[in-house]
Amino acid sequence: MAPLVEITGLHKSFGKVEVLKGVDCEIERGEVVAVIGPSGSGKTTMLRCVNLLERPSAGRIEVDGRVLCEEQPDGKMKFAPKDAIREAREHVGMVFQRFNLFPHMTALHNITEAPMAVKGASKQDAESRAHELLESVGLGHKADAYPLQLSGGQQQRVAIARALAMDPTLMLFDEVTSSVDPELAGEILLVMKRLAEQGMTMLVVTHEMGFAAEVADRALFIDHGLVVEQGKAADLLGNPQHQRTRAFLRAVLDRAPMEESDEPVRSPEEIKSQTERELLLQQQKVERIAKEDGG
């Protein structure tokens, strides 16, 4: 079975600033992938490119069999038609750092709005589903509360319920605990853990290393717009192989700035080019030795 998400050679620039420099990533159905890395490394930009909230500068993205964008031979990007993108977004739920709830709507209304407006669900069906979702995130008693009457953790759980109301096949989480007090983060992480246990495919940008180690199947470490290291979450977080990954995890543990490193972060093209040069030099050395032995 093909991966649910295929990202190939993803580049994104804002003016002259290149934020993503060639990211490759596949996500299998039912898989939870944690994306970690220092601030400004391109994690959120990568996430927003998946459903084209940010339009890539180069590369290819396919979600659930739909090619959303693809670089053409002439270097220009071809994007799917607006209707196809809108349809794809209906199957991709996203929860942001900020809750982005409508302040003038109750928790119930925040959740029913999209199914009714986008999918044409009846008010009765939408409200029935919304009550189920509020119960699932532990907020069944807050249906009539407005966002300002809810704590940050409660607002974020309503935001998760709102995303789930569209019955997505993929959930994107962007640092969803960063805007809440530490003691409230556990409420959100518990909801996400339950989603993972139910088989939801999830791409999670996070600094919650304990959550990533326990819940994620794989982890990607991104730095300077490149995937520096990836692998099984427990292995990468417990025994990172790249010096930059080790420095980042040490900084997270110590709550200190990430140490600078002399080890360069190279793009896939640079790695390929160096590998080809090394193979050529090795072949030349073998030929020289063979010639000397023959002489």
Side-chain angles (χ1 to χ4, degrees):
M1 185 178 295
L4 181 64
V5 180
E6 293 184 76
I7 301 171
T8 308
L10 179 61
H11 290 251
K12 174 61 182 178
S13 296
F14 295 95
K16 295 181 179 180
V17 179
E18 189 176 26
V19 177
L20 297 177
K21 304 174 182 178
V23 170
D24 296 321
C25 175
E26 291 186 353
I27 304 172
E28 304 294 336
R29 296 173 190 275
E31 188 177 31
V32 178
V33 176
V35 183
I36 64 173
S39 298
S41 59
K43 306 183 303 295
T44 293
T45 300
M46 170 191 166
L47 205 70
R48 291 174 64 87
C49 282
V50 171
N51 59 1
L52 298 188
L53 290 179
E54 298 289 354
R55 293 208 160 197
S57 307
R60 182 180 188 274
I61 297 177
E62 181 175 338
V63 179
D64 201 11
R66 301 178 179 90
V67 178
L68 301 185
C69 63
E70 188 169 24
E71 188 174 1
Q72 302 300 293
D74 60 3
K76 294 182 179 179
M77 289 295 291
K78 179 181 179 181
F79 293 90
K82 291 182 179 180
D83 289 347
I85 293 175
R86 183 164 53 248
E87 181 181 355
R89 284 175 177 163
E90 291 179 16
H91 300 280
V92 180
M94 185 163 184
V95 185
F96 302 86
Q97 295 181 31
R98 294 290 177 179
F99 323 120
N100 290 349
L101 297 177
F102 297 114
H104 62 291
M105 295 182 181
T106 64
L108 184 73
H109 194 181
N110 264 283
I111 297 170
T112 60
E113 179 70 11
M116 292 171 61
V118 178
K119 303 184 77 172
S122 68
K123 182 178 180 180
Q124 181 179 356
D125 289 345
E127 289 188 349
S128 176
R129 175 64 171 153
H131 281 295
E132 290 177 5
L133 289 169
L134 284 171
E135 287 289 346
S136 73
V137 298
L139 294 174
H141 60 298
K142 294 291 187 179
D144 296 325
Y146 287 88
L148 287 178
Q149 297 172 312
L150 301 173
S151 70
Q154 290 172 334
Q155 289 186 60
Q156 196 62 289
R157 283 184 282 160
V158 172
I160 293 174
R162 179 177 62 179
L164 293 173
M166 295 296 286
D167 297 319
T169 55
L170 170 67
M171 284 288 288
L172 308 175
F173 293 93
D174 183 19
E175 293 283 14
V176 294
T177 60
S178 64
S179 297
V180 302
D181 294 332
E183 62 268 24
L184 301 177
E187 303 171 350
I188 301 167
L189 297 175
L190 181 59
V191 171
M192 295 169 64
K193 181 179 178 180
R194 288 172 179 164
L195 284 177
E197 291 170 347
Q198 294 166 10
M200 174 63 71
T201 308
M202 298 161 59
L203 183 60
V204 184
V205 171
T206 184
H207 275 98
E208 301 283 353
M209 298 304 139
F211 170 82
E214 180 183 1
V215 178
D217 299 293
R218 283 191 300 120
L220 277 67
F221 172 63
I222 294 183
D223 191 19
H224 290 80
L226 292 166
V227 177
V228 176
E229 185 174 352
Q230 62 177 304
K232 290 184 178 180
D235 293 342
L236 187 145
L237 296 170
N239 185 29
Q241 300 302 302
H242 199 286
Q243 190 276 338
R244 284 184 179 270
T245 315
R246 293 194 295 271
F248 169 74
L249 293 174
R250 189 163 51 246
V252 171
L253 182 63
D254 296 340
R255 296 184 178 276
M258 184 175 171
E259 296 176 4
E260 292 296 327
S261 171
D262 294 330
E263 187 173 353
V265 176
R266 297 173 297 165
S267 69
E269 292 82 4
E270 290 172 331
I271 293 173
K272 180 181 178 182
S273 177
Q274 179 172 343
T275 301
E276 290 174 346
R277 287 198 303 272
E278 289 173 350
L279 289 173
L280 178 60
L281 290 173
Q282 185 177 10
Q283 180 64 30
Q284 291 174 343
K285 182 177 180 181
V286 170
E287 291 175 353
R288 185 174 66 254
I289 293 172
K291 184 176 180 181
E292 292 172 351
D293 289 345

